[in-house]
Amino acid sequence: MEIDGAVCIVTGASSGIGAATAQMLSGLGARVVLAARRTDRLERLSSTLPGSLAVTTDVTAAGGFARLVDRAVAAFGSIDVLVNNAGQGLHVPLEQLDPADLRAVFELNVVAPLVGMQAVAPVMRGGTGGAIVNVSSATSLRVIAGLGGYSATKAALNMISQVGRVEMAAEGVTVSIVYPSVTATEFHQRLRAGALVSGGPPIAPDPPELVARAISFAIQSGEAHVLVDDPPQLLTPGDGGARRTFLASPLPS
Ligand SMILES: NC(=O)c1ccc[n+]([C@@H]2O[C@H](COP(=O)([O-])OP(=O)(O)OC[C@H]3O[C@@H](n4cnc5c(N)ncnc54)[C@H](OP(=O)(O)O)[C@@H]3O)[C@@H](O)[C@H]2O)c1
């Protein structure tokens, strides 16, 4: 997928990884549609990104994604890329995990990206195809005490993404998963419940720009699995976790 000129929807664009991704895609020539709930932040960012559109959106609200897609099509006539990035953490040991919190985070981290895929599919199918990048988490590949609820939502997103990749391939739509590791954003201050799990060796968080690079790479390459790690790496699909170096692959400049 060529990013230059592409119409790219980025959810969760009001902060962190989503804002960095919107900036990077815009810098590569994309027409970016910024979606999140905090209008002031979206409009501030949009004013710095030529040709971008800010659309206040709650991706968990009924009809929220449909309105977002309608606004994007009305403005640009097509949608080439969806980055399903909006998400929230839930860092509580299972015994204390409130099912209501898990349901709420499941709605945001799993159901909303699915609804997004369903909303853009007909538009992409009616055009020249497209790319969907679902932002998961490296925690979904590991067993980490305190992260059972959050990681379960991302593991569910992984499966929906992989099945979507198979089901949508014939329509020219490529579905990729990006797995960030600990990243320096507001994420850890905005958990649905709990706190950043600590106890292990101190982790230097990745800058959100590194994740934005991995997302841009996933769009361009159509790779199924991109792990953001130190150094960032590709997970080779179906090899049980064997990796090859992400940085050795072509990257957007
Ligand atoms: N930071 C990390 O260490 C880390 C690690 C692995 C994976 N991730 C994943 O990376 C993604 C981005 O997180 P981040 O680190 O950039 O955190 P962040 O700075 O807290 O950003 C989260 C974004 O999601 C948006 N959002 C939340 N609920 C929403 C809703 N109902 N509708 C629309 N937008 C909503 C927020 O915007 P509004 O509040 O304005 O709506 C915000 O822009 C998430 O999926 C997260 O799970 C993060």
Side-chain angles (χ1 to χ4, degrees):
M1 164 70 66
E2 177 63 51
I3 291 175
D4 191 10
V7 178
C8 303
I9 296 178
V10 181
T11 70
S14 60
S15 66
I17 292 167
T21 300
Q23 284 170 317
M24 184 161 293
L25 295 178
S26 178
L28 292 167
R31 292 170 288 171
V32 186
V33 182
L34 311 168
R37 294 166 301 177
R38 287 172 291 181
T39 306
D40 53 338
R41 286 188 177 219
L42 290 185
E43 289 184 345
R44 211 177 312 133
L45 178 58
S46 182
S47 69
T48 68
L49 305 180
S52 65
L53 176 69
V55 183
T56 305
T57 306
D58 181 344
V59 294
T60 64
F65 246 116
R67 283 189 292 276
L68 172 61
V69 165
D70 285 350
R71 287 285 306 279
V73 171
F76 300 116
S78 63
I79 297 168
D80 302 299
V81 175
L82 169 64
V83 181
N84 267 320
N85 165 76
Q88 191 178 27
L90 176 59
H91 294 7
V92 181
L94 292 178
E95 217 176 317
Q96 284 103 53
L97 183 58
D98 183 338
D101 285 335
L102 180 60
R103 286 191 191 99
V105 175
F106 198 88
E107 280 289 330
L108 176 61
N109 292 2
V110 184
V111 178
L114 170 66
V115 171
M117 292 167 73
Q118 293 170 333
V120 297
V123 182
M124 291 180 172
R125 193 166 48 229
T128 54
I132 296 172
V133 178
N134 290 337
V135 179
S136 178
S137 170
T139 62
S140 67
L141 306 172
R142 297 171 190 140
V143 176
I144 305 175
L147 291 189
Y150 173 68
S151 299
T153 68
K154 293 299 190 178
L157 179 63
N158 296 349
M159 185 52 76
I160 282 173
S161 307
Q162 290 174 89
V163 173
R165 183 175 175 90
V166 172
E167 291 182 351
M168 298 170 85
E171 303 166 354
V173 178
T174 303
V175 183
S176 303
I177 310 171
V178 169
Y179 304 82
S181 298
V182 178
T183 309
T185 68
E186 298 167 20
F187 179 84
H188 298 286
Q189 287 75 53
R190 301 189 79 208
L191 300 173
R192 170 87 186 185
L196 177 62
V197 175
S198 59
I203 302 168
D206 292 326
E209 292 73 22
L210 185 64
V211 186
R213 244 177 117 194
I215 292 170
S216 304
F217 172 75
I219 295 167
Q220 290 182 317
S221 67
E223 287 282 354
H225 305 270
V226 180
L227 176 67
V228 184
D229 209 339
D230 187 17
Q233 298 173 5
L234 276 180
L235 291 177
T236 306
D239 71 357
R243 297 165 182 178
R244 61 190 169 90
T245 302
F246 167 61
L247 289 176
S249 307
L251 284 171
S253 52

